[in-house]
Structures are given as structure tokens and as C-alpha cells.
Amino acid sequence: NGIIKKAKEITVLCDAKVSLIIYSSSGKMVEYCSPSTTLTEILDKYHGQSGKKLWDAKHENLSNEVDRVKKDNDSMQVELRHLKGEDITSLNHVELMALEEALENGLTSIRDKQSKFVDMMRDNGKALEDENKRLTYELQKQQEMKIEENVRNMENGYHQRQLGNYNNNQQQIPFAFRVQPIQPNLQERI
């Protein structure tokens, strides 16, 4: 704590850039860096003035890779601005032709995907219509079967009453009405 206190005092009194890293025997790390700077700035300044390499080849390669990715990102940002139609006045004729071709390819791809989507929706609609027709047919068939069953139940009930009435010598109804949806209307033939 005393050393960190002295580092803070040197920063204030001498207007110096100070960075301090302490590792205790238990492995605990304590660090201090002047508010006006960062650790990397101090290390870069040390590397420039002393000529000693603080970074090994692995770190150097990582640093180069980070720089390369940053450059790629910047060029992609510029290309994206060009694709959006921004800042195209700086492009020459060849670059404008390449940009136009890329946009046409993208438009063709979008139209193909849109066409496939419309076809898929049409196919789904046709499948839904077919399923609706099939279900309507099944419902109608079940309703007809239910009507026929109700008619049979009514006829069976009528015949049982007739037998009961016949046995009891009560008045008998001469005929029964039956619904026949399949038979044509006989009056229409004349």
C-alpha cells in the first residue's frame, strides 16, 4: 500500500506517467496506472526508447492479425456504404460496373428466393384446399350416415309400436314416411 501511495504522489507532484504492477507471494496482483495514460502507452514508449522486445513472436503475430482484421473491417465498411449508395462519387468506372453487377446479382438472388416463397405458399394453399375438400366430404358422409341411422331408429320404433298396437288391437297407422335423399323427385319427371 505504501508503494502504491508513493506512485500516486509521484504522478501528482512530478506530473509523471507512472505504471506499477505488484505480484505478492500468494499470487495476488495489484496495479496502478496514472490517470492520464494507459499501460500499453507506457509499454510502447519503453519499447521505443530502450529497444528491448517486450513482446515475443506470438504476440507480434497476434498484433499483426488484429491490424489486418481492422483493415478488412474498414474496407468492408466502405464497401457497405457503396452498396447503400453512399459515397459513390469517389468510385471510377470499373468499380461502378463491379458494384452494379454485385447489386444485380443480389437482386436476382432475392427475386429467386421470393419466387420460391410464393410457390411454396401457393402449394401450401392448394394442399389446404384439398384437405378442406376431403374433410368436408368426410363430414357430409358422417352426417348422411347419422341421418340414415336416425331414420332406421325411427322406423324400428314405429314397427315396434305397430306390433304393440297390433297386439293390443289398437288403431294402426297405414304407412311410414322415409327420407330418401338419393332418389329423384318423381314429380319432376312428368
Side-chain angles (χ1 to χ4, degrees):
N1 286 339
I3 294 176
I4 292 176
K5 184 178 177 185
K6 290 295 179 188
K8 289 178 182 179
E9 289 174 1
I10 291 172
T11 301
V12 173
L13 294 175
C14 301
D15 192 30
K17 295 180 181 179
V18 177
S19 180
L20 176 68
I21 301 173
I22 301 172
Y23 284 100
S24 68
S25 59
S26 62
K28 182 179 174 185
M29 181 187 85
V30 179
E31 65 178 319
Y32 170 78
C33 189
S34 299
S36 63
T37 188
T38 63
L39 181 61
T40 53
E41 288 176 1
I42 289 178
L43 292 175
D44 287 342
K45 196 168 191 178
Y46 174 79
H47 174 67
Q49 287 183 353
S50 68
K52 294 182 180 176
K53 292 242 179 195
L54 296 176
W55 306 100
D56 58 359
K58 179 180 174 183
H59 290 104
E60 191 74 29
N61 289 337
L62 287 175
S63 177
N64 291 338
E65 183 68 16
V66 166
D67 292 340
R68 186 190 63 78
V69 170
K70 284 181 182 178
K71 287 178 185 175
D72 287 347
N73 185 26
D74 291 342
S75 68
M76 286 183 188
Q77 291 291 332
V78 169
E79 186 176 343
L80 181 62
R81 281 198 312 274
H82 290 161
L83 288 173
K84 288 181 178 179
E86 301 169 0
D87 194 33
I88 57 173
T89 56
S90 63
L91 298 177
N92 62 30
H93 183 266
V94 175
E95 292 171 330
L96 286 173
M97 297 272 296
L99 181 63
E100 182 182 18
E101 184 179 340
L103 290 173
E104 286 177 359
N105 290 340
L107 185 60
T108 302
S109 174
I110 289 171
R111 285 185 178 150
D112 288 343
K113 286 181 181 181
Q114 186 179 23
S115 174
K116 288 178 184 177
F117 180 76
V118 168
D119 291 344
M120 182 184 69
M121 293 302 289
R122 189 178 304 126
D123 292 344
N124 286 346
K126 178 76 171 128
L128 288 174
E129 281 182 29
D130 293 344
E131 183 68 13
N132 186 26
K133 287 178 184 177
R134 185 187 71 77
L135 290 174
T136 303
Y137 174 75
E138 290 290 326
L139 178 64
Q140 190 175 20
K141 193 173 174 182
Q142 286 180 357
Q143 287 175 343
E144 288 175 3
M145 288 173 41
K146 197 167 202 161
I147 289 172
E148 287 179 14
E149 183 181 330
N150 288 341
V151 168
R152 269 186 261 130
N153 288 340
M154 287 174 55
E155 286 178 350
N156 288 340
Y158 173 74
H159 290 301
Q160 288 175 356
R161 278 185 296 187
Q162 290 303 321
L163 288 175
N165 289 341
Y166 182 73
N167 292 336
N168 294 334
N169 292 328
Q170 295 180 354
Q171 185 180 3
Q172 182 177 1
I173 299 177
F175 57 88
F177 292 101
R178 180 173 181 191
V179 177
Q180 297 180 349
I182 299 174
Q183 300 295 327
N185 191 351
L186 296 177
Q187 293 177 353
E188 291 179 3
R189 284 192 174 178
I190 298 177

